Amino acid sequence: MRAGLLAAAALLGLWASAAQAGPHDVAIHVTRLGGDTATAQPFLDRFLRHLEGAIGWPASSLAGKFLTSRKATTGYLAEVKPGLALLEPPLYFELRQQLQLKPVLQVESAELITPRLHVVVKDPALKALADLAGKRVCSTLGEYPRYLTAVVLDGQVDAAKAWKLKPVRQALKGVRGVLRGECDATTLDDSQLAKAREMTGGKELRSIHASAPLPPIPVVVLGDALPAAERDALVKGLLQVCDGEKGKAICAEMHLTRIVPVDAALFGAAEKKYGG
Amino acid sequence: MPSRPKVHNARLLGPLLAVAVGLLQAGCIWNLPKDLVVLSTMDSCPDYGMLDLAEHASAFDHTTSSDELRCALHKLRTSPIPYEVHWTGTPARICYLLADRTSNPDDRDRLATEGVRWAEIAYEHGSPEPGRVQYYLSINLGLAARDHAALALKNVRVLEKALLEAVALAPEEEQGGPLRMLGTLYLLAPPWPDGIGDSDKAMKYLRRAVQEYPDHPLNLIFLALALVDAEEEAESADATMLLKRAKAMIEQGPYGDARGRWLKELKNVAEKGELHLD
């Protein structure tokens, strides 16, 4: 199939090296979408075909991979060096300097993004972040103590040193941990906290810290492997990809409402907190 | 006077028969979906009766030839009398066995959609095997929705409800099929609170599938997937062991056309967990 695309691309004169691994690959690491690499592939393919159509690129000139874990994503980014990626914010901050990531757009989605996070406890004796010293905190950010400390906790506590931080893959696991007394605290966004309070014993859950607004999922370019003209075309295409009936339906399959210009102030503030 | 109605009757009989035959040929007698997969080479099908088919079909599995499955489905589609077989999960199971091995996505969708309808027909008529019927409804719905996120999202609660009933009433179907499928649904669905995804529930049902039905390779593969997803070192050792056992079973067992698909599934899990099986 790829050989055929190469011929088509050559005929159209648009691509010198269409469909080669690297700059024309897209990595997606979004943890709240569900599914896995194999089950997500048809949806990602449909999204990319629609994007190519929107910007007038030959079909299948972009290839994409959906990655569910931090480990798989970092491995893929290092090995394949895709031109573009949608990354969970903590991983973006972790790899920003190492891989020269530049946010060019951001995702709008009711389901996929975390507008702010609360540190949630049940034990009435726990009233402030300082009370969690030496306590078990189960968090979906357990793999990202630096982001948790600097961006979510605004530097008030060093989560890696002060807490017994336990990573959990799903927020629900953290909630259950707190309700069963297996964890002293967890991290939840507003909608998760509201739903957790509806669970048995959940009325006693409360927030002892609310973060400042958090950056959403950025669309980033990696280094300068993607030529500027192609990058600009992709950015332009992504801004329109969820428009129209077809685009809306394809984006909805991936829980995307729209892709919009990056909120530089929000990312700038978080970058300042996170440091170099 | 008596002769006139006869004339009318004779005139009406032809068109009525034609309509009846047309309805039968299209599968409309059962109100099946209009866009059915055309079953080819039906001339060479054995001329068995519905009761023979019912008995024969109970042994259908992944080793059954596609021709045999197509013949059985053709018979079901065109059978004018509601034999007992229609109210069981058998027609839906035949559609699933065919859909599962079909590489053409359109044909797979249409066969699976037909399987959903057969299951609905059985359920509507008070099937004596509701758990089995719900399982084949679910598995066909899962196949039909495989490449269609909107359909999958729309039906995720329906799937969960049907599978919970199947788990309660017929957990033994396909050696823990309802447990396996419900566990996998919880594993791969969008997570709480927007979806029903729940890794604890996934682990619970997949562990039960392996404990109660350890001889089905997919039970081992999907539990390994859940363990890999948990991303803990101790879990990956267990996952490796499960995949090794599943691999040996698939290579030696009577799994017919499913062998290749299950080995591919196994390979995907091993790759995801970076597990070495040699």
Side-chain angles (χ1 to χ4, degrees):
Chain A
M1 187 176 72
R2 289 198 162 193
L5 292 170
L6 277 171
L11 279 171
L12 288 166
L14 290 170
W15 293 95
S17 57
Q20 287 176 352
H24 299 141
D25 283 60
V26 178
I28 298 190
H29 172 54
V30 177
T31 56
R32 292 170 74 166
L33 196 54
D36 62 9
T37 301
T39 54
Q41 198 61 48
F43 310 115
L44 181 52
D45 287 344
R46 260 201 295 278
F47 178 79
L48 293 177
R49 297 300 82 79
H50 183 63
L51 175 61
E52 289 155 355
I55 52 185
W57 285 5
S60 298
S61 47
L62 293 166
K65 189 151 188 175
F66 177 72
L67 302 139
T68 54
S69 72
R70 171 177 177 257
K71 190 178 167 188
T73 309
T74 48
Y76 182 80
L77 295 178
E79 193 184 330
V80 177
K81 297 185 175 58
L84 203 72
L86 277 74
L87 297 176
E88 285 291 342
L91 189 57
Y92 157 70
F93 282 100
E94 185 177 294
L95 299 174
R96 183 171 57 103
Q97 293 203 329
Q98 184 193 337
L99 297 179
Q100 296 176 281
L101 306 180
K102 291 172 212 150
V104 287
L105 297 165
Q106 66 185 42
V107 164
E108 259 190 23
S109 164
E111 293 94 4
L112 302 182
I113 64 169
T114 304
R116 69 170 176 167
L117 274 174
H118 297 270
V119 176
V120 175
V121 299
K122 186 181 175 191
D123 182 350
L126 302 170
K127 292 187 169 66
L129 290 176
D131 297 334
L132 288 172
K135 302 285 185 188
R136 298 155 303 175
V137 179
C138 302
S139 172
T140 50
L141 291 177
E143 288 186 312
Y144 302 100
R146 184 172 169 189
Y147 180 83
L148 178 58
T149 296
V151 182
V152 177
L153 304 175
D154 211 7
Q156 293 178 52
V157 173
D158 184 336
K161 287 182 183 165
W163 299 348
K164 288 178 186 159
L165 199 54
K166 188 186 172 197
V168 288
R169 290 293 305 274
Q170 294 180 345
L172 183 57
K173 220 171 165 72
V175 175
R176 285 200 184 116
V178 173
L179 292 175
R180 290 173 186 156
E182 294 160 1
C183 309
D184 297 295
T186 190
T187 49
L188 300 175
D189 70 16
D190 290 280
S191 69
Q192 290 166 341
L193 178 55
K195 285 281 179 190
R197 281 181 171 145
E198 293 170 10
M199 293 167 68
T200 308
K203 280 184 184 159
E204 295 163 64
L205 295 174
R206 63 187 207 291
S207 169
I208 58 168
H209 171 83
S211 75
L214 298 172
I217 293 165
V219 180
V220 300
V221 290
L222 286 83
D224 52 11
L226 194 63
E230 292 179 1
R231 185 194 60 210
D232 294 347
L234 269 174
V235 167
K236 196 177 165 194
L238 282 165
L239 284 167
Q240 301 162 0
V241 75
C242 299
D243 292 349
E245 201 176 326
K246 190 179 174 192
K248 204 174 166 185
I250 287 171
C251 286
E253 287 192 329
M254 297 181 59
H255 294 257
L256 300 172
T257 308
R258 306 190 282 168
I259 295 178
V260 297
V262 73
D263 183 339
L266 192 54
F267 273 89
E271 278 164 18
K272 200 173 164 189
K273 288 179 186 175
Y274 194 87
Chain B
M1 289 296 287
S3 63
R4 287 188 65 85
K6 277 183 188 171
V7 172
H8 275 295
N9 285 345
R11 278 181 188 160
L12 286 169
L13 198 59
L16 279 173
L17 275 175
V19 168
V21 169
L23 284 170
L24 289 176
Q25 283 171 345
C28 291
I29 194 161
W30 302 112
N31 196 19
L32 294 173
K34 286 184 180 123
D35 188 23
L36 295 177
V37 167
V38 176
L39 302 169
S40 55
T41 64
M42 291 302 102
D43 297 343
S44 56
C45 287
D47 187 22
Y48 41 39
M50 288 299 288
L51 292 176
D52 293 336
L53 172 63
E55 193 183 335
H56 201 54
S58 64
F60 285 169
D61 61 18
H62 292 287
T63 63
T64 308
S65 75
S66 296
D67 281 348
E68 203 168 352
L69 293 171
R70 278 195 288 263
C71 284
L73 185 56
H74 176 70
K75 185 80 182 171
L76 289 163
R77 281 182 184 176
T78 54
S79 167
I81 306 167
Y83 284 100
E84 196 180 66
V85 69
H86 289 105
W87 316 144
T88 69
T90 298
R93 176 171 163 79
I94 292 170
C95 287
Y96 146 64
L97 288 170
L98 278 168
D100 192 36
R101 67 181 63 178
T102 302
S103 53
N104 179 314
D106 288 342
D107 284 354
R108 187 181 59 227
D109 286 359
R110 288 191 292 163
L111 282 163
T113 304
E114 183 180 350
V116 170
R117 183 63 198 132
W118 278 117
E120 287 172 346
I121 290 168
Y123 207 72
E124 284 161 11
H125 286 80
S127 168
E129 300 174 322
R132 185 170 188 254
V133 167
Q134 290 287 45
Y135 173 60
Y136 288 109
L137 182 142
S138 306
I139 204 158
N140 278 298
L141 194 54
L143 278 169
R146 197 164 84 174
D147 297 341
H148 306 284
L151 186 64
L153 285 172
K154 193 175 148 193
N155 286 296
V156 75
R157 300 275 177 192
V158 176
L159 266 177
E160 185 190 23
K161 190 167 171 263
L163 283 168
L164 283 167
E165 191 174 345
V167 162
L169 298 174
E172 72 288 351
E173 191 64 30
E174 281 217 305
Q175 293 182 277
L179 294 161
R180 177 169 71 237
M181 194 176 172
L182 184 59
T184 312
L185 181 68
Y186 286 132
L187 187 67
L188 297 178
W192 174 90
D194 300 306
I196 63 163
D198 185 334
S199 55
D200 288 345
K201 282 187 185 172
M203 202 68 94
K204 176 181 135 186
Y205 285 105
L206 291 170
R207 279 195 194 283
R208 195 180 142 196
V210 169
Q211 276 160 10
E212 295 179 17
Y213 307 95
D215 297 330
H216 198 299
L218 283 182
N219 292 345
L220 310 185
I221 293 170
F222 290 133
L223 178 58
L225 176 63
L227 293 172
V228 162
D229 229 38
E231 281 193 327
E232 287 177 23
E233 211 163 303
E235 310 276 32
S236 66
D238 290 346
T240 304
M241 193 185 69
L242 287 165
L243 291 183
K244 281 183 176 177
R245 268 175 57 201
K247 191 166 179 248
M249 278 184 200
I250 296 170
E251 285 168 350
Q252 291 158 22
Y255 300 116
D257 70 276
R259 181 175 286 126
R261 293 192 298 279
W262 294 357
L263 283 172
K264 191 177 167 194
E265 199 77 57
L266 185 148
K267 189 168 160 257
N268 285 342
V269 178
E271 277 178 10
K272 186 177 181 187
E274 296 178 13
L275 308 176
H276 302 286
L277 304 183
D278 299 323

